[in-house]
Amino acid sequence: MKIFKSYGIVVLLLFTAACKEAGKKAGEEKKPNIIFIMTDDHTTQALSAYDRRYISTPNLDRIADEGMRFKNCFVTNSICGPSRAVILTGKYSHINGLTDNSKVFDSTRVIYPQLLKKAGYQTAMIGKWHLGSTPIGFDYYSILPNQGQYYQPNFIENGKRITEKGYVTDVVTDKAIGFLEGRDKDKPFLMIYQQKAPHRNWMPAIRHLGMFDDTTFPEPSNLLDDFSHRGRASREQLMRISVDMMEAWDLKLASSQELDALNEAPPAPEFKDTKEGDFEQANDKSTDKARFLEVYNRMTDEEKAAWNKVYDKRVAEYKKLNLKGDDLTRWKYQQYMKDYLACVAAVDENVGRLLDYLEDTGELDNTIIVYTSDQGFFLGEHGYFDKRFMYEESLRTPLLIRYPPKVDAGSVSDALVMNLDFAPTLLDYAGVEVPEDMQGESMKPILDNAGKVPDNWRKATYYHYYEYPSWHMVKRHYGIRTARYKLIHFYNDIDEWELYDLQKDPQEMNNRYHDPEYREVAEQLKEQLKKLQVKYKDTDPAEKQAKQI
């Protein structure tokens, strides 16, 4: 009898040990947490993992150093709302319905956070949403209405409108960490953490005011581009630093005395906190000071005093120098860079706060961390600010992914990837079936193999921009980008083609479309372009869009 009792005890011990081992394996194979970090208008030129000319971003670089950096990540439509809709749905703008910023995203469409929520993830959306509709598919959301404000920002938090004290980049991070602290520890989580910065009008945090005042930034070699070897569309736009930047809104050339006087005057019509696509105020310089006064008045008296100390000096310098022509353009470029990069500095600091929190709580290596922007941005290249064009600085967006269990530290990939691919990739890693109607591809084979490009990976990307006439008046266009070439067709009120050899002309200064030497290349690219339009169901795009005028 004792033998049987002893045998039973042994069996019980073995069973308990087996259960513990199974539990360990289950723990090892648990679904990864996901943090999707996206900024607004943060270009690769202003991220030192890509480019060290302008600013050091050590916390963002950490993601690259401990993960993978994609050299060739491109957007499908370089504008805020449409880019966000592409990322959420894994579908092109003409399929997901949000072709430009004037439209509202249809919240009945399936987005990847909903699929992760159904698969057991706790989901949160924090920061800039900019889709017009209410977020669906999230256990918690706290979003900036429309473009959001830099100081004392408003939020819509689970349906309730609130105002928070402080600087928006800090506040969004506080909310993100707050969600992580209070989350359900028994569930994996998806947190979409999206900053307003460094979107126009580039208002730095008080601690960063004047941080670059002693810096002279190198100028792009084509800052004074005269567009003589490019197309009509490149000339007919309203995004030149030289003449299209607004003095108060963009360059902060409104003194404290002027602003005080405006505050004492009869109230001007309120400048609405609009979506970027609300066209009645597009490119209207008559609203410049009134618009800036609204954001200035969101500051506390102490914040205003610190702000005035820095920017009154800028106004005085501007008046004293009395610059004209190219010299004025160069001066404006320096002021633009100081403000834009100071906003980036706050982003980098706050990403560092988030990484430190994850490390302190033991969740850093269990979490897929994605860093990207909704598109690129011009920092003076071709004399431009803003985005929209299919030219490289606007088309390319940063993409850094950290996940130690699968992604080699310090790896780099040349693969042609798109923001269309983000949703399929995250679903793939979470073990959730990717819907057949998603048009992107999972990047998991690239991430799992040190950045190597599979033989069957795409050889070209497709782009389509729709928002014209509107802000900055960039004409509608679509095109194809391969590893070496780019072909663009501008249409609607124009019919022009541009072809660039990126190997010989990386700055896209010389349109080769009419060059006999490139005739065969142009024809081959047109054939590839047609195939991509069939693949992505965007055939006859010019004809379809013409009907919408």
Side-chain angles (χ1 to χ4, degrees):
M1 201 63 168
K2 287 182 181 178
I3 293 173
F4 285 111
K5 280 184 180 178
S6 299
Y7 178 78
I9 291 169
V10 170
V11 169
L12 182 61
L13 290 170
L14 288 171
F15 178 77
T16 303
C19 286
K20 284 184 179 177
E21 187 61 29
K24 266 188 194 177
K25 285 183 179 177
E28 289 169 0
E29 295 168 3
K30 70 178 184 179
K31 292 184 177 182
N33 302 316
I34 300 169
I35 296 182
F36 182 83
I37 308 172
M38 187 163 75
T39 40
D40 196 313
D41 295 344
H42 188 194
T43 188
T44 56
Q45 305 96 282
L47 204 168
S48 51
Y50 287 91
D51 190 331
R52 297 185 179 276
R53 289 176 295 167
Y54 302 123
I55 190 172
S56 174
T57 51
N59 297 296
L60 294 172
D61 291 0
R62 179 183 176 185
I63 302 174
D65 293 341
E66 297 174 3
M68 186 176 295
R69 175 171 63 91
F70 286 84
K71 293 167 68 175
N72 294 307
C73 182
F74 304 110
V75 297
T76 64
N77 185 357
S78 183
I79 191 70
C80 302
S83 178
R84 292 160 196 272
V86 168
I87 289 168
L88 287 168
T89 62
K91 300 174 185 177
Y92 269 90
S93 300
H94 63 281
I95 300 293
N96 68 46
L98 200 79
T99 52
D100 62 57
N101 274 333
S102 68
K103 295 179 172 60
V104 173
F105 181 65
D106 179 358
S107 58
T108 66
R109 293 185 182 274
V110 174
I111 59 175
Y112 81 87
Q114 294 170 340
L115 301 175
L116 290 175
K117 181 175 167 62
K118 287 179 183 176
Y121 275 74
Q122 187 176 12
T123 57
M125 168 63 225
I126 300 167
K128 189 165 183 178
W129 176 244
H130 198 223
L131 290 170
S133 56
T134 300
I136 302 294
F138 298 96
D139 295 297
Y140 167 78
Y141 68 85
S142 188
I143 60 169
L144 297 164
N146 303 321
Q147 289 289 356
Q149 302 287 359
Y150 273 108
Y151 284 90
Q152 279 62 251
N154 300 324
F155 285 85
I156 303 173
E157 190 161 293
N158 288 353
K160 182 181 177 183
R161 298 184 73 91
I162 58 174
T163 300
E164 302 283 15
K165 292 182 180 179
Y167 184 67
V168 67
T169 311
D170 302 333
V171 175
V172 169
T173 307
D174 291 342
K175 288 178 176 289
I177 292 174
F179 165 75
L180 294 176
E181 287 176 338
R183 69 185 177 86
D184 184 344
K185 303 299 192 294
D186 293 327
K187 289 183 175 182
F189 65 83
L190 161 71
M191 183 175 74
I192 298 178
Y193 159 72
Q194 298 185 160
Q195 293 287 8
K196 169 186 173 64
H199 191 280
R200 192 184 187 191
N201 70 330
W202 317 298
M203 295 181 74
I206 294 300
R207 64 184 180 278
H208 293 142
L209 293 176
M211 71 179 293
F212 292 113
D213 278 0
D214 296 327
T215 302
T216 300
F217 296 101
E219 296 175 2
S221 61
N222 54 4
L223 175 65
L224 304 176
D225 189 353
D226 64 4
F227 314 113
S228 58
H229 300 290
R230 298 165 74 219
R232 177 183 151 195
S234 69
R235 299 188 297 273
E236 296 182 10
Q237 36 61 35
L238 297 176
M239 49 189 283
R240 289 168 293 175
I241 291 172
S242 58
V243 294
D244 296 317
M245 277 190 160
M246 297 184 184
E247 287 197 353
W249 182 250
D250 294 321
L251 295 165
K252 322 300 185 297
L253 295 176
S255 68
S256 56
Q257 292 88 348
E258 286 179 280
L259 295 168
D260 287 344
L262 284 171
N263 273 323
E264 292 173 6
E270 184 180 358
F271 189 93
K272 291 181 285 184
D273 181 18
T274 60
K275 284 190 70 189
E276 192 168 310
D278 287 340
F279 301 153
E280 70 272 10
Q281 293 168 345
N283 313 308
D284 182 359
K285 289 188 177 181
S286 69
T287 64
D288 180 26
K289 281 197 172 76
R291 187 180 190 188
F292 182 72
L293 186 66
E294 279 204 15
V295 295
Y296 175 79
N297 282 338
R298 298 188 74 86
M299 298 185 199
T300 65
D301 290 343
E302 293 77 13
E303 288 167 340
K304 284 182 179 179
W307 181 276
N308 295 337
K309 186 176 180 181
V310 171
Y311 288 100
D312 278 353
K313 289 180 183 177
R314 180 181 291 186
V315 174
E317 180 184 22
Y318 175 63
K319 291 177 178 177
K320 178 182 177 182
L321 292 174
N322 192 29
L323 299 169
K324 306 290 182 185
D326 292 348
D327 290 337
L328 179 57
T329 299
R330 290 188 169 104
W331 186 85
K332 287 181 178 181
Y333 164 76
Q334 293 294 332
Q335 314 319 308
Y336 164 44
M337 292 292 282
K338 289 172 186 178
D339 294 341
Y340 177 95
L341 293 171
C343 292
V344 171
V347 168
D348 186 70
E349 287 178 354
N350 277 278
V351 169
R353 285 177 59 204
L354 183 62
L355 294 176
D356 289 346
Y357 174 83
L358 291 168
E359 190 164 34
D360 291 344
T361 56
E363 291 293 346
L364 183 60
D365 290 350
N366 302 323
T367 304
I368 297 171
I369 297 174
V370 178
Y371 182 82
T372 191
S373 178
D374 52 354
Q375 65 267 315
F377 212 67
F378 291 103
L379 297 184
E381 297 86 5
H382 305 294
Y384 296 153
F385 67 103
D386 208 69
K387 56 262 185 179
R388 302 167 199 269
F389 275 114
M390 198 185 166
Y391 304 137
E392 285 295 280
E393 294 82 8
S394 166
L395 177 67
R396 185 192 308 274
T397 197
L399 179 60
L400 313 173
I401 300 181
R402 184 191 189 279
Y403 185 45
K406 296 290 184 181
V407 180
D408 289 354
S411 51
V412 179
S413 181
D414 291 317
L416 299 177
V417 301
M418 295 188 284
N419 58 353
L420 193 71
D421 302 326
F422 297 171
T425 302
L426 296 177
L427 292 173
D428 196 2
Y429 268 116
V432 177
E433 185 177 354
V434 178
E436 287 185 8
D437 60 351
M438 279 192 175
Q439 296 176 299
E441 304 290 336
S442 172
M443 298 180 290
K444 191 171 183 294
I446 298 168
L447 289 159
D448 288 353
N449 289 284
K452 293 177 183 176
V453 185
D455 292 339
N456 62 348
W457 192 255
R458 70 170 64 90
K459 303 299 187 290
T461 64
Y462 178 63
Y463 179 85
H464 195 162
Y465 174 80
Y466 304 81
E467 194 171 284
Y468 175 87
S470 180
W471 290 79
H472 302 295
M473 298 300 283
V474 173
K475 296 185 184 297
R476 301 181 191 190
H477 57 288
Y478 57 84
I480 179 174
R481 191 211 191 272
T482 68
R484 177 169 176 174
Y485 297 107
K486 183 182 295 179
L487 181 69
I488 310 171
H489 181 218
F490 292 94
Y491 70 92
N492 181 241
D493 67 340
I494 187 175
D495 181 11
E496 283 192 356
W497 292 84
E498 294 183 11
L499 169 62
Y500 296 99
D501 184 339
L502 300 171
Q503 188 179 94
K504 294 182 178 179
D505 180 23
Q507 293 177 315
E508 298 169 294
M509 295 295 291
N510 296 292
N511 176 16
R512 298 295 187 185
Y513 182 73
H514 297 290
D515 186 336
E517 183 183 341
Y518 287 85
R519 185 173 296 129
E520 187 176 344
V521 170
E523 291 307 313
Q524 289 173 351
L525 289 170
K526 280 187 175 181
E527 286 303 312
Q528 281 184 272
L529 177 60
K530 287 177 184 175
K531 289 178 182 176
L532 287 182
Q533 289 174 329
V534 170
K535 176 180 178 178
Y536 295 121
K537 301 177 182 178
D538 195 27
T539 53
D540 299 320
E543 181 182 339
K544 284 191 293 186
Q545 288 304 307
K547 293 175 183 176
Q548 296 182 21
I549 299 173

